[in-house]
Amino acid sequence: MAKGIKPPKPRKCPICSTEYLPRSSLQKVCHNFKCAIAFNQQKEAEKLEKDERASLRKRKADLKPLKHWEDLTQRVVNDYIRERDRDLPCISCGTWDTVQWEAGHYRSRGKASHLRYNEDNINKQCHHCNTALSANQQQYRIFLIQKIGPQRVEALENNNNPHRYTREELKALRTHFSALLRELKKQAEAA
């Protein structure tokens, strides 16, 4: 053996359990060709099983209603909004104290579902304003105008074009907002 090169360590064959010295780092079984055939068959069976599981997951996902994907996307968007507005008070009442911070919609999801994931329409809000005061709409509007300007608020109020999101659009939105959330968290850690 050349100087500095270590001899191969003995391995145990996963098929017949005998110890062997591998000829190369890629050798996975002993020198018996029956073990090599059995090992390849085992790997093919594992690959088929993995493909079947992936197919089953896809079929299960296809059976889930659109509402499931909308709620999943809303969770990601809400997490992003709370992180984006972390250093801001409640958009409606200006408080810094709350039981729980929420992502409150200026135009409700029920009345304007097409604006459900619009960043201008969603802001950090205290639990009391969002639930007990039904978003505290008048105060929300005042502070929203200060935050994004009257033109963008009027654009929100005048946007009445209905839109039904598809699964592909929802997936793209989740991916987009997840990336934005990761970036915000990296910036927060760096600061």
Side-chain angles (χ1 to χ4, degrees), residues 105-117:
H105 289 74
Y106 173 61
R107 289 190 63 195
S108 73
R109 295 184 307 186
K111 291 182 180 173
S113 63
H114 57 286
L115 297 173
R116 174 178 193 154
Y117 310 113

Side-chain angles (χ1 to χ4, degrees), residues 57-58 60-75 116-117 166-167 170-171 174:
R57 270 195 307 276
K58 186 181 180 329
K60 279 185 176 179
D62 289 343
L63 290 175
K64 291 184 179 174
L66 190 62
K67 172 104 172 83
H68 168 80
W69 302 110
E70 289 173 342
D71 292 344
L72 206 60
T73 304
Q74 191 67 60
R75 261 185 260 144
R116 174 178 193 154
Y117 310 113
T166 64
R167 291 173 192 217
L170 293 170
K171 184 177 182 181
R174 281 194 307 277

Side-chain angles (χ1 to χ4, degrees), residues 82-101:
R82 283 191 294 271
E83 185 66 26
R84 179 196 73 186
D85 295 350
R86 181 191 340 170
D87 298 330
L88 300 173
C90 172
I91 189 82
S92 298
C93 67
T95 188
W96 286 96
D97 299 321
T98 185
V99 190
Q100 171 182 330
W101 288 112

Side-chain angles (χ1 to χ4, degrees), residues 10 14 16-17 44 47 57 61 70 76 97 107 114 123 132 134 136 139 143 157 170 186:
C16 67
S17 300
E44 286 177 22
K47 186 181 181 316
R57 270 195 307 276
E70 289 173 342
V76 173
D97 299 321
R107 289 190 63 195
H114 57 286
N123 293 278
S134 299
N136 197 355
Q139 292 299 107
F143 289 112
E157 292 171 342
L170 293 170
K186 279 182 190 175

Side-chain angles (χ1 to χ4, degrees), residues 9-26:
K9 293 182 180 177
R11 292 185 185 170
K12 193 173 187 179
C13 178
I15 305 299
C16 67
S17 300
T18 60
E19 273 198 6
Y20 69 97
L21 282 174
R23 292 184 188 132
S24 76
S25 61
L26 300 175

Side-chain angles (χ1 to χ4, degrees), residues 139-152:
Q139 292 299 107
Y140 197 138
R141 186 175 196 282
I142 293 168
F143 289 112
L144 189 61
I145 288 172
Q146 289 176 6
K147 184 176 180 182
I148 65 173
Q151 292 84 11
R152 286 166 65 185

